[in-house]
Amino acid sequence: MQYFVIGAGIWGSVIAERIASQMNEKVLVVERRPHIGGNCHSSIDEKSGVECHRYGSHIFHTSLPEVWKYINQFTSFTNYHHTVLTKHAGRVYSLPINLHTINDFYGKSLSPDEAKAFIAQEIAKEGLGSEPKNLEEQAISRIGRPLYEAFIRDYTRKQWEREPTELPAAIMKRLPVRFSYNTDYFSDTWQGIPRDGYAQLFKKLLDHPNITVQTNTAYEDIRDTIPSDALVCYTGLPDALFGYSLGELTWRSLRFEWETHDVQDFQGTTVMNYADSDVAFTRIHEFKHYHPERAKVYASKATVICKEYPKTWQRGDEAYYPVNDERNTALYEAYTKLAAKNPNVILGGRLGAYRYWDMDKAIENALHVFETKIKR
Amino acid sequence: MQYFVIGAGIWGSVIAERIASQMNEKVLVVERRPHIGGNCHSSIDEKSGVECHRYGSHIFHTSLPEVWKYINQFTSFTNYHHTVLTKHAGRVYSLPINLHTINDFYGKSLSPDEAKAFIAQEIAKEGLGSEPKNLEEQAISRIGRPLYEAFIRDYTRKQWEREPTELPAAIMKRLPVRFSYNTDYFSDTWQGIPRDGYAQLFKKLLDHPNITVQTNTAYEDIRDTIPSDALVCYTGLPDALFGYSLGELTWRSLRFEWETHDVQDFQGTTVMNYADSDVAFTRIHEFKHYHPERAKVYASKATVICKEYPKTWQRGDEAYYPVNDERNTALYEAYTKLAAKNPNVILGGRLGAYRYWDMDKAIENALHVFETKIKR
C-alpha cells in the first residue's frame, strides 16, 4: 500500500506522522502552498524579528489529555493565556461580554447577581417572543439591546456582510455572557503558544525519514501518478475534488493587511476587535504579544500588525470557515457519498470535513481516523 | 545527629522532607498551630465545600526550574492565572495599573505610546524634584496625581495605617505600571493552584516514615528535650527565640473576617481590592474562584468570602510581613549574630529570615540551605 496526504495542515501532518512512525510506511505529503502548516503557518518578520501567524491568530488550547500528550512530543508550550478586547465608541472593553464589560459599559459596579437582574430587565424591555427569529433577536434575548447594538450588531454586519436580522438565530446560539470578571477567552485545561513557534512545530511533526513533503504541489499535479490502490488522505475542498460536479460549497474567507510600525507596542495586546462600522476591518492582530518571553524582540521598537477583513469566498480565495447551513450541509453530504464510492480516499481536515475545528479537534480527529481507518 | 524543625510552613516542611528523603534521617517537626502548612494552610468550608486559604490568597508562581520540578513531585497545578481588580468611586478597575486602567479612568482609548506621553504630562504638572521625599511623591512621579489619589493614597493609608507622606519612598519603588493591556498579576513562567489544594500538598510533603509531626506544640514545649548536639531549624520569630533580649522586631499583621453567602458568586473574582477609605478592609477574597474546575462546588449557591484588614502587629498576633526599615534590619542582624553563636541553630522561613518571600523563594532558600548547611 502506498500513502498520499494532500495538504500539510494540522490534520494532514498528524496523519502523515502517524503513518510514518506507527506503521513505518512511507508517505508523500503534497502541499499546494509554498509552506507546510496550513493556516497555522507562522514565519518571522525579518525587520522586527516578530513571529507572525500568517493566517490570523492561532492559540492552542485543549482539554483532551490524549491530544495534549500527543502534541507535547513535538513542542512545549508557553504560559500564554488569550484575552480579547474590543474598541467601541472611543473606549476599550473586555470580551467576551463579562461583568467588567457590563459595569464599564453602564458605568456601574454591579455584583454578579445584580448584573444578572439588571440584564434580565434590559431583555424584558424588548418584549421579544420565546423563539428568536434571527440573529438580532437571539442576541437581544441574551444581553438586551444596548449591549447588542454596541458589541454585536456592527461587528456581525462586518463579519457576515449581511444584516443581523437576515442571519439565522443559530449562529449566535452560544453567545457567551459571563457574570464574573473572568476574561480568559478559553477555559480549557491546557493553553499556550508553541514555544518555538508553529513553523517549528510542523517541521518537527513532518521530520521523519518515512515522510517526503512537496510544497508548491497541487493534488492535480500528482493525481495521475497515484496508483489506484493507494490510500489518499485529502484535506482540500471537497467540491473541487469532484470538479464541482454537484455545485459549489460556500465558505467565508478573510483578507489580511500587514503593517510594520516603528513602535515598541502598537496596541498593547494580541487581538483588538473593532466593534463599530467606522472601520472595515474586524480586528487587528499584533503578534509580538504572543511571545512576551522573547524579551529582546518584545522590547524592540518595531512591531508587526495585521488588519483582518472578512470577505465572501470566491474560487481562488483561501477558504477559512464553512457555512454550515441547510443547503451546504446537504451538498457536503452528497459529496461524501461520492467520496465513499472510492474506499481509498479519506476526506479530512477542516476543508475536507467541511467543519469548523479548533486545532485540538483537528488533531483528535486525525488520531481517531488513523486508528480506525488507516492503521492495520 | 538528631533533627528538629520548628514550624511546619513551607520552608520547614521542605527542610524536613529533604532530611527525611535525601539523608534518610529521622526528623521531628513541631508546629505551634493546630495545622501544618503555615500561612499556606487551606481547609474546606463545610457548608459550601469551598477550599479556603485561611491566611489570605496564595497563588503559586515561579520562574525557577528547580523549584518547579521539586514541588511538582508533590502536587500538580491548575491553569489558574491571577488577576486583581479594585473598586474606586463606584467603578471597577484592573490592577496593577495598566493601559485598561488608564483608559477606563480617563475615559479614553489611548495607544501604548499615547498613554505614556499622557502620563508623562500628568507627572510633569506636579513639578516634583528628581528625588522623591516620600511614598506619595514617589507614586506621583510614576503615575501622576489623579491615579495616585484614586488607587494608591487611601489604599496605602489602610495598608500601613500611616500617611503616604510619612512613609519612605522605597516602599513604592517598584510600583508596577504597564502601558499594555496585560492584566496578569504575575509574569512567571509557571503559575497555578495546587490541584488538590494546599492542605493536601503539605500532607504529601510531610508524608514520610522518617518525619514525625506534632501540631499544637510550641518550641518552648520541647526546647528542654532537645539534645545539645541536635540540629534545630527554627522558623519562628527571631526575637522570641532570644526572649526579646535585644528588643522587638516590627511586623505588619492582618485580621480576616469570614462570611458565607447563599449566592453562587459574590464578587465575580478571587481578589477585589477596595481603594477608597469608605471601607476599612483592603480587599475581599472569594476562594471558590481559585478552583473553577471544581465544577459542582463552583456552581453551588454558596460561597465563602473573607475581608482582609491590615493591622499593626502586637505580641500574640500572627506576623505576616517584616518591616525592613533601618532599625529592624539592624536589630535582625544583631539577632542573627546571637544565633550564629550556636552553630546547631539555623534561622529560616519568612519569620526566621525576617524576609518577605513568595512561596517559591522560600522553597528555593530551603533547598539551598539544605544542600549547603545540612546535607552531609
Side-chain angles (χ1 to χ4, degrees), chain A residues 44-178:
Chain A
I44 306 275
D45 172 67
E46 273 192 32
K47 191 187 161 200
S48 63
V50 171
E51 179 143 12
C52 300
H53 303 176
R54 293 300 177 182
Y55 301 88
S57 287
H58 279 72
I59 301 100
F60 193 87
H61 56 98
T62 190
S63 295
L64 301 166
E66 73 279 15
V67 170
W68 184 243
K69 200 176 155 196
Y70 174 80
I71 201 69
N72 271 272
Q73 296 175 269
F74 307 99
T75 184
S76 63
F77 286 85
T78 67
N79 203 7
Y80 177 81
H81 271 220
H82 196 50
T83 55
V84 174
L85 299 163
T86 191
K87 271 201 189 172
H88 161 66
R91 297 292 304 276
V92 174
Y93 297 91
S94 172
L95 285 186
I97 292 170
N98 60 67
L99 192 49
H100 213 160
T101 326
I102 295 167
N103 278 332
D104 278 356
F105 182 74
Y106 285 104
K108 296 179 183 291
S109 62
L110 303 171
S111 77
D113 279 1
E114 288 167 353
K116 272 180 210 166
F118 178 80
I119 294 297
Q121 278 177 6
E122 292 286 284
I123 295 166
K125 275 185 197 167
E126 296 296 313
L128 291 176
S130 60
E131 270 306 310
K133 288 193 283 291
N134 52 50
L135 188 150
E136 175 167 305
E137 289 195 12
Q138 175 71 32
I140 291 174
S141 72
R142 291 271 292 153
I143 57 176
R145 183 171 290 278
L147 286 169
Y148 161 73
E149 289 186 348
F151 298 115
I152 308 292
R153 188 186 59 195
D154 295 1
Y155 192 85
T156 303
R157 276 180 185 150
K158 292 196 282 187
Q159 213 176 6
W160 291 92
E161 296 172 287
R162 284 171 66 186
E163 284 301 308
T165 48
E166 292 163 16
L167 285 163
I171 299 179
M172 196 102 310
K173 216 157 216 167
R174 289 177 303 174
L175 173 70
V177 184
R178 297 181 189 160

Side-chain angles (χ1 to χ4, degrees), chain A residues 286-326:
Chain A
E286 186 174 14
F287 294 101
K288 75 178 347 185
H289 292 292
Y290 283 115
H291 289 288
E293 80 283 0
R294 298 183 182 180
K296 217 171 143 183
V297 170
Y298 193 78
S300 88
K301 274 206 178 288
T303 191
V304 181
I305 65 157
C306 139
K307 293 173 178 166
E308 178 176 323
Y309 297 82
K311 74 188 288 281
T312 304
W313 179 85
Q314 297 176 343
R315 226 179 271 186
D317 291 341
E318 296 295 347
Y320 280 84
Y321 308 110
V323 181
N324 297 105
D325 59 14
E326 268 179 53

Side-chain angles (χ1 to χ4, degrees), chain B residues 75-352:
Chain B
T75 184
S76 63
F77 287 84
T78 66
N79 203 6
Y80 177 81
H81 272 222
H82 196 49
T83 55
V84 174
L85 299 163
T86 190
K87 272 200 189 171
H88 161 66
R91 298 292 304 276
V92 174
Y93 297 91
S94 172
L95 286 185
I97 292 170
N98 61 67
L99 192 48
H100 212 160
T101 325
I102 295 167
N103 278 332
D104 278 356
F105 182 74
Y106 284 104
K108 297 180 183 287
S109 61
L110 303 172
S111 76
D113 278 1
E114 288 166 354
K116 271 180 212 167
F118 179 81
I119 294 298
Q121 280 176 6
E122 292 287 284
I123 295 166
K125 276 184 197 168
E126 297 296 314
L128 290 175
S130 61
E131 271 305 312
K133 288 193 283 292
N134 52 50
L135 189 149
E136 175 167 303
E137 289 195 11
Q138 174 71 32
I140 291 175
S141 73
R142 292 271 293 153
I143 56 175
R145 184 171 290 277
L147 286 169
Y148 161 73
E149 289 187 348
F151 298 114
I152 307 292
R153 187 185 60 195
D154 294 2
Y155 192 86
T156 302
R157 277 180 185 150
K158 292 197 281 188
Q159 213 175 6
W160 291 92
E161 297 171 288
R162 284 171 67 186
E163 285 300 309
T165 47
E166 291 164 17
L167 285 164
I171 299 180
M172 196 101 310
K173 216 156 217 167
R174 288 177 304 172
L175 174 70
V177 185
R178 297 180 190 161
F179 292 96
S180 81
Y181 290 101
N182 177 13
T183 56
D184 271 350
Y185 201 75
F186 304 112
S187 58
D188 280 308
T189 311
W190 298 284
Q191 183 179 163
I193 306 292
R195 196 166 288 279
D196 300 319
Y198 286 98
Q200 194 57 30
L201 165 59
F202 281 87
K203 225 175 127 186
K204 276 201 112 176
L205 264 172
L206 295 171
D207 180 24
H208 192 285
N210 284 341
I211 300 178
T212 304
V213 179
Q214 284 181 16
T215 50
N216 293 307
T217 307
Y219 178 49
E220 300 75 52
D221 300 335
I222 64 150
R223 188 171 203 158
D224 296 340
T225 71
I226 299 178
S228 60
D229 64 343
L231 182 71
V232 175
C233 299
Y234 176 89
T235 73
L237 297 173
D239 46 5
L241 180 62
F242 299 101
Y244 304 98
S245 56
L246 307 176
E248 203 173 66
L249 289 165
T250 312
W251 304 85
R252 297 292 303 159
S253 189
L254 298 172
R255 183 170 64 81
F256 295 107
E257 262 179 28
W258 294 84
E259 296 172 12
T260 310
H261 291 264
D262 291 330
V263 295
Q264 186 268 324
D265 189 350
F266 178 81
Q267 66 178 11
T269 193
T270 47
V271 178
M272 178 71 76
N273 284 10
Y274 284 77
D276 300 342
S277 51
D278 58 340
V279 293
F281 47 85
T282 48
R283 42 186 186 164
I284 296 182
H285 310 256
E286 186 174 15
F287 293 100
K288 73 178 350 184
H289 292 293
Y290 284 114
H291 289 288
E293 80 284 0
R294 298 183 182 179
K296 218 170 139 182
V297 170
Y298 193 76
S300 88
K301 276 206 176 289
T303 192
V304 182
I305 65 157
C306 138
K307 292 172 177 165
E308 179 175 323
Y309 297 83
K311 74 190 286 281
T312 304
W313 179 85
Q314 296 177 344
R315 225 178 273 187
D317 290 341
E318 297 295 345
Y320 281 84
Y321 308 111
V323 181
N324 296 106
D325 59 13
E326 267 179 54
R327 174 194 165 271
N328 285 293
T329 304
L331 184 53
Y332 176 71
E333 281 299 312
Y335 277 120
T336 58
K337 275 178 195 150
L338 273 189
K341 288 186 183 159
N342 184 346
N344 288 348
V345 171
I346 297 175
L347 291 184
R350 198 193 267 208
L351 301 189

Side-chain angles (χ1 to χ4, degrees), chain B residues 8-10 13 31 33-45 50-59 194 196-203 215 256 258 287 318 320 359:
Chain B
I10 201 156
S13 296
E31 169 57 55
R33 293 170 177 172
H35 60 77
I36 58 174
N39 283 0
C40 306
H41 174 62
S42 70
S43 67
I44 306 275
D45 172 66
V50 171
E51 180 143 10
C52 300
H53 304 175
R54 293 301 179 183
Y55 302 88
S57 286
H58 279 71
I59 301 99
D196 300 319
Y198 286 98
Q200 194 57 30
L201 165 59
F202 281 87
K203 225 175 127 186
T215 50
F256 295 107
W258 294 84
F287 293 100
E318 297 295 345
Y320 281 84
M359 288 179 276

